[in-house]
């Protein structure tokens, strides 16, 4: 076990730890401290993919840790809901109050009236699904379907391959063709970028499929700037091309796949010209893509999350991930696909959550607004938010805010900073950051587990998640008193395979037996029943009736003709670190769309639809395709003129698979507000 930070509160030291934030890379960090205070953070080489460098966000993490918005002590609301006025209280007072209210709510309505709400604050194994899950399960609280991200792609990857491990970053150098499909690693996983560029220098072809001209699209041999939500027809047209031209790896399919005919039949509906027409791309470019993909080996697809966030998202990801099977791209280093590698360890939190999951109501987190304003039997009367900032990150913001404004709703927000959600709380609890607590960081790009440890003195009275949930459980009489988070670390790691645990605690990092770089269909195989790729999983539940790989047309209307997408920004991770951003947000718009509306860069505009309106600046740029506008995800309410963010325009409809969010199905109109 590493020493606790208290032994380091004086003098200067450099300590190894890792970043557990919601990003594929999960960097290994070298942190310099002086007298318990953070001096500098940089990347190390302990986890090979980090290659000694990290993003600017985490390099400047001191601005969050010691910033003005940091929560330093518990507080209770003193003004009207949402006014953001709070008075300091002690932890005992705060937790007694929370326990008392939870007791009242569960007595009046039953446990299901309590809704725990958490998602992406940390990808660590300790900050979610440990003591929190035990508490809420024992209370019989409503369950949360965590669907705001990766639900459609997760369902697709599970059904096809049983979430088989994918190609890891360092193997990108071996590829002769790299397809970056709906991902923007220049922002969302920066360690992939130099490896893609290196492969290009070694002669690899680069294809980018994205409605925006991302930094890698500018360096690509082919940029397919398709209309948002049209990946499914494009991928099916590629399959159809392979099937029709006899470019299919029949031997591989016979040995390793099932459901080929189902996929082939759906693909046959998409000749090149039909798919190109729907996607708004050049037929010749699409054909070139098909030819290049069929011919190249090793050929690699990095599938991101941009293509899942719409009504066709699950089928789109399935069709994309099915390509290497149909075209026979597996079995060589640098060939195959990368999606999320978080399942590569086969870890299940059920191994360490010591409480049965109750059969209570399952609330889809994309329906938070509905749950707060519409659900009864029982009504949601206590909302407990942690690791999440739903006031700005889940669909249908206006409905969410309406719910948070309910006077009869008791809201607890447990966070590191005064988020937009915390402002609506009745009780605010201060959380530690990953520099102040233990965690286990699990990468989902590379394959690694790393130990996260407290390296600086805790700021103010902040406490870790396991500590607070255990304390609350004790106050509510559903657990023993007095466990701290180091004990939770031992508890969770004690349920890991022995070799993994030893490596993790001794060296701080562990990569799997296949050295963290599996060759698909050589070192790893589908974890599906029968061990085969299932190209047409018949019992996969698809929303919307017409089944798997069925395309649903664009939701645009004459009133709302523009597709609004909200991709990741380099300044925040979802909304995390948004408190440090000061500039007004701008919506990106193509020059032709801007000219039609008489708009120029710097004008203030209204971006609106039937759900809401965002008032912000416009930036006129050819980096977004015509008919598409783009406004970053993760903005805070202070970043727009009217306090609304892209989620105010996002419908709470669900994707075809996994109950996923449809952020990119927002269709909008844009009009002038104030001329520059
Ligand atoms: N700096 C930073 N890093 C992050 C995050 C962050 O917010 N900031 N978020 C983290 C999280 S939570 C996640 S899930 C990952 C996401 O990682 P990515 O998947 O790389 O990020 P996204 O921004 O969701 O989408 C990537 C690209 O998809 C494009 N796109 C949008 N709609 C479509 C479409 O219909 N089809 C296609 N082909 N492309 C489309 C967007 O223009 C964007 O360039 O990144 C993680 N890393
Ligand atoms: N418009 C639009 N919105 C989107 C998306 C989109 O494409 N478009 N994509 C979405 C995606 S990909 C995702 S993943 C979601 C993420 O949405 P959220 O789950 O809301 O994630 P964050 O915005 O990062 O907020 C996480 C919060 O957890 C807090 N936190 C971090 N660590 C801890 C801890 O140890 N303890 C406690 N108690 N709190 C902690 C952070 O301070 C932060 O305020 O957003 C979604 N929102
Ligand atoms: Mo995400």
């Amino acid at each position: 076990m590493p020493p606790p930070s208290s032994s380091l509160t004086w003098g200067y030291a450099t300590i190894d730890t890792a970043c557990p934030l919601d990003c594929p890379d999960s960097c290994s960090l070298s942190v310099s401290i002086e007298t318990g205070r953070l001096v500098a953070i940089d990347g190390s080489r302990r986890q090979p993919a980090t290659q000694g460098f990290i993003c600017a966000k985490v390099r400047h993490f001191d601005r969050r840790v010691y910033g003005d918005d940091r929560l330093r002590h518990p507080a209770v609301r003193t003004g009207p809901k949402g006014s953001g006025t709070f008075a300091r209280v002690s932890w005992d007072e705060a937790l007694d109050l929370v326990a008392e209210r939870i007791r009242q709510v569960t007595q009046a309505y039953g446990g299901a009236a309590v809704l725990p709400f958490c998602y992406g604050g940390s990808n660590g194994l300790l900050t979610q699904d440990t003591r929190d899950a035990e508490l809420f399960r024992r209370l019989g609280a409503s369950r949360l379907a965590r669907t705001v991200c990766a639900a459609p792609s997760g369902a697709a990857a599970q059904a096809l391959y049983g979430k088989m491990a994918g190609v890891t970053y360092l193997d990108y150098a071996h590829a002769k063709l790299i397809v970056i499909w709906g991902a923007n690693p220049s922002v969302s996983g920066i360690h992939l970028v130099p490896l893609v560029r290196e492969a290009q220098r070694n002669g690899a072809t680069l294809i980018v499929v994205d409605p925006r001209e991302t930094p890698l699209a500018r360096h690509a041999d082919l940029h397919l700037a398709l209309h948002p939500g049209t990946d499914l027809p494009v991928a099916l047209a590629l399959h159809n091309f392979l099937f029709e031209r006899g470019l299919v790896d029949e031997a591989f399919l016979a040995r390793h796949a099932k459901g080929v005919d189902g996929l082939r039949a759906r693909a046959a509906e998409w000749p090149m010209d039909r798919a190109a027409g729907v996607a708004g791309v050049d037929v010749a470019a699409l054909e070139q893509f098909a030819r290049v993909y069929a011919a190249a080996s090793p050929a690699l697809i990095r599938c991101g999350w941009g293509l899942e966030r719409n009504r066709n998202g699950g089928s789109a990801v399935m069709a994309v991930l099915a390509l290497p099977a149909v075209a026979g791209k597996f079995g060589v280093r640098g060939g195959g696909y990368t999606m999320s590698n978080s399942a590569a360890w086969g870890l299940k939190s059920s191994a360490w959550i010591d409480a049965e999951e109750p059969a209570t109501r399952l609330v889809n987190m994309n329906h938070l607004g509905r749950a707060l304003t519409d659900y009864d039997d029982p009504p949601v009367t206590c909302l407990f938010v942690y690791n999440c900032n739903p006031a700005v990150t889940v669909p249908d913001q206006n409905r969410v805010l309406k719910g948070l404004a309910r006077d009869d709703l008791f809201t607890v927000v447990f966070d590191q900073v005064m988020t937009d959600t915390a402002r609506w709380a009745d009780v605010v609890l201060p959380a530690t950051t990953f520099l102040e607590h233990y965690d286990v960081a699990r990468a989902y790009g590379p394959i690694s587990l790393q130990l996260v440890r407290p390296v600086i003195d805790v700021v103010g009275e902040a406490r870790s998640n396991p500590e607070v949930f255990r304390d609350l459980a004790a106050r509510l009489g559903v657990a023993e008193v007095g466990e701290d988070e180091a004990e939770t670390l031992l508890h969770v790691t004690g349920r890991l395979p022995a070799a993994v645990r030893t490596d993790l605690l001794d060296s701080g990092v562990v990569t799997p037996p296949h050295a963290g770089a599996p060759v698909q269909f050589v070192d790893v195989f589908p974890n599906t029943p029968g061990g085969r790729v299932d190209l047409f999983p018949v019992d996969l539940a698809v929303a919307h009736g017409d089944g798997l790989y069925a395309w649903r047309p664009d939701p645009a209307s004459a009133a709302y003709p523009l597709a609004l997408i909200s991709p990741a920004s380099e300044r925040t991770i979802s909304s995390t670190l948004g408190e440090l951003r000061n500039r007004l947000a701008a919506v990106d718009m193509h020059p032709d769309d801007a000219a039609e509306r008489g708009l120029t860069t710097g004008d203030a505009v209204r971006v609106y639809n039937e759900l809401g309106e965002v008032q912000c600046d416009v930036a006129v740029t050819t980096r977004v395709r015509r008919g598409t506008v783009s406004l970053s995800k993760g903005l805070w309410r202070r970043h727009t003129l009217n306090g609304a963010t892209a989620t105010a325009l996002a419908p709470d409809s669900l994707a075809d698979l996994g109950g996923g969010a449809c952020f990119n199905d927002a269709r909008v109109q844009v009009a002038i507000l104030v001329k520059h």
Side-chain angles (χ1 to χ4, degrees):
M1 283 288 296
S5 60
S6 54
S7 64
L8 297 163
T9 48
W10 46 271
Y12 190 90
T14 300
I15 311 177
D16 283 324
T17 186
C19 177
L21 296 180
D22 188 348
C23 165
D25 294 11
S26 187
C27 297
S28 56
L29 302 177
S30 172
V31 181
S32 305
I33 60 156
E34 191 161 13
T35 322
R37 251 186 99 87
L38 179 58
V39 177
I41 307 188
D42 213 335
S44 74
R45 294 178 183 277
R46 191 170 70 163
Q47 182 234 44
T50 305
Q51 303 162 67
F53 70 94
I54 56 167
C55 67
K57 301 180 294 299
V58 173
R59 245 188 299 118
H60 298 302
F61 207 72
D62 57 322
R63 296 179 189 166
R64 154 160 281 222
V65 173
Y66 303 119
D68 291 343
D69 292 278
R70 184 74 199 268
L71 295 171
R72 290 178 163 77
H73 45 74
V76 295
R77 176 168 69 86
T78 51
K81 283 251 181 184
S83 62
T85 47
F86 295 93
R88 177 176 182 169
V89 294
S90 70
W91 269 103
D92 271 337
E93 286 169 296
L95 292 179
D96 277 343
L97 175 64
V98 172
E100 178 54 28
R101 293 301 302 268
I102 288 179
R103 205 175 284 118
Q104 281 169 6
V105 165
T106 52
Q107 269 161 16
Y109 303 100
V114 177
L115 178 63
F117 205 86
C118 62
Y119 192 77
S122 152
N123 268 329
L125 299 186
L126 301 194
T127 33
Q128 192 161 284
D129 288 336
T130 60
R131 303 312 185 192
D132 51 327
E134 286 169 15
L135 167 67
F136 293 117
R137 286 179 178 194
R138 287 175 189 159
L139 289 174
S142 281
R143 294 172 302 145
L144 187 71
R146 295 207 195 107
T147 48
V148 77
C149 172
S153 57
Q158 178 63 39
L160 271 173
Y161 296 104
K163 295 193 174 169
M164 172 177 75
V167 177
T168 63
Y169 285 12
L170 296 173
D171 277 345
Y172 274 64
H174 297 279
K176 284 292 168 229
L177 167 65
I178 297 175
V179 181
I180 306 279
W181 199 316
N184 182 17
S186 304
V187 161
S188 62
I190 59 172
H191 294 86
L192 196 57
V193 177
L195 297 163
V196 171
R197 303 289 287 147
E198 186 189 330
Q200 283 189 286
R201 280 194 299 278
N202 295 339
T205 302
L206 177 65
I207 297 179
V208 172
V209 186
D210 199 302
R212 294 186 310 142
E213 190 189 43
T214 58
L216 278 177
R218 284 196 281 289
H219 294 292
D221 299 283
L222 176 65
H223 172 205
L224 203 67
L226 79 191
H227 186 71
T230 61
D231 303 271
L232 176 61
V234 165
L236 289 177
L238 298 180
H239 281 291
N240 189 46
F241 180 93
L242 296 168
F243 282 118
E244 280 201 328
R245 308 279 172 109
L247 299 168
V248 170
D249 187 342
E250 300 287 358
F252 175 88
L253 291 178
R255 182 152 174 228
H256 291 292
K258 58 188 260 200
V260 180
D261 292 342
L263 172 60
R264 189 204 319 256
R266 285 296 193 179
E269 296 165 27
W270 292 99
M272 284 286 168
D273 53 345
R274 182 179 176 216
V278 162
V281 297
D282 194 15
V283 191
L286 189 51
E287 269 177 17
Q288 190 197 348
F289 182 2
R291 272 194 304 274
V292 170
Y293 186 69
S297 182
L300 184 43
I301 298 176
R302 198 303 176 245
C303 183
W305 290 265
L307 62 159
E308 73 160 24
R309 312 195 197 287
N310 64 76
R311 69 219 173 270
N312 297 312
S315 286
V317 173
M318 286 201 69
V320 169
L321 295 185
L323 282 166
V326 171
K329 301 301 179 187
F330 291 120
V332 286
R333 191 165 291 285
Y337 70 84
T338 312
M339 182 79 240
S340 169
N341 266 327
S342 68
W345 294 92
L347 303 179
K348 297 248 183 318
S349 55
S350 53
W352 53 80
I353 303 175
D354 287 341
E356 285 290 305
E357 190 171 7
T360 46
R361 166 173 68 191
L362 183 65
V363 176
N364 185 317
M365 69 187 298
N366 294 314
H367 287 165
L368 177 63
R370 287 171 198 259
L372 295 180
T373 55
D374 216 23
Y375 287 16
D376 40 30
D377 196 27
V380 175
T381 316
C382 172
L383 177 71
F384 197 124
V385 179
Y386 60 107
N387 304 344
C388 200
N389 188 11
V392 295
T393 57
V394 305
D396 201 353
Q397 182 175 45
N398 287 318
R399 195 160 184 186
V400 171
L401 293 178
K402 193 171 158 212
L404 290 173
R406 263 174 52 202
D407 268 321
D408 61 336
L409 176 72
F410 180 70
T411 303
V412 183
V413 176
F414 180 23
D415 205 303
Q416 299 160 345
V417 294
M418 184 56 86
T419 61
D420 282 327
T421 311
R423 299 182 72 81
W424 290 90
D426 295 282
V427 176
V428 173
L429 304 174
T432 43
T433 67
F434 69 87
L435 297 172
E436 297 151 86
H437 60 221
Y438 284 107
D439 210 338
V440 177
R442 173 171 49 179
Y444 60 93
I447 301 177
S448 69
L449 287 179
Q450 295 182 78
L451 186 65
V452 177
R453 37 196 285 207
V455 296
I456 59 168
D457 289 345
V458 165
V459 172
E461 297 177 1
R463 289 187 186 172
S464 71
N465 289 15
E467 223 179 330
V468 168
F469 289 112
R470 232 336 152 78
D471 188 328
L472 254 183
R475 279 170 212 261
L476 284 159
V478 295
E480 300 292 313
V481 199
E483 174 153 331
D484 68 16
E485 46 130 5
E487 286 167 277
T488 304
L489 173 74
L490 294 178
H491 171 79
V492 170
T493 54
R495 309 286 172 94
L496 301 177
V500 170
R501 172 175 194 261
T502 308
D503 263 12
L504 182 65
L505 296 183
D506 286 358
S507 68
V509 63
V510 47
T511 53
H514 35 74
V519 176
Q520 294 176 308
F521 288 88
V522 172
D523 303 310
V524 290
F525 292 88
N527 306 303
T528 48
R532 284 171 169 254
V533 194
D534 193 348
L535 297 172
F536 203 89
V538 277
D539 45 2
L540 197 63
V542 183
H544 317 286
D546 35 2
L548 205 51
Y549 302 118
W551 191 71
R552 278 157 290 274
D554 198 90
S557 61
Y560 306 117
L562 299 168
L564 172 72
I565 57 174
S566 37
S569 128
E570 78 278 11
R571 290 155 179 257
T572 58
I573 299 211
S574 297
S575 76
T576 298
L577 297 164
E579 79 277 11
L580 302 177
R581 178 192 167 131
N582 295 316
R583 274 191 31 218
L584 194 64
V587 63
D588 286 346
M589 182 182 253
H590 189 274
D592 294 348
D593 292 322
E596 271 175 19
R597 293 165 178 80
L599 302 174
T600 49
T601 295
D603 288 346
V605 293
R606 303 168 48 220
V607 186
Y608 63 97
N609 62 20
E610 69 280 4
L611 292 172
E613 167 166 330
V614 177
Q615 299 178 353
C616 62
D617 276 356
V618 65
V620 179
T621 168
T622 52
R623 296 214 166 139
V624 62
R625 66 169 266 136
R626 193 163 185 207
T628 299
V629 288
S630 172
L631 181 64
S632 293
K633 77 164 173 174
L635 294 173
W636 285 34
R637 301 186 65 199
R638 63 177 78 156
H639 299 135
T640 65
L641 293 166
N642 67 337
T645 71
T647 51
L649 305 166
D652 74 350
S653 49
L654 302 178
D656 51 348
L657 292 181
C662 289
F663 294 109
N664 294 345
D665 273 345
R667 293 295 177 269
V668 300
Q669 184 52 283
V670 178
I672 188 74
L673 181 68
V674 183
K675 201 71 197 150
H676 180 52

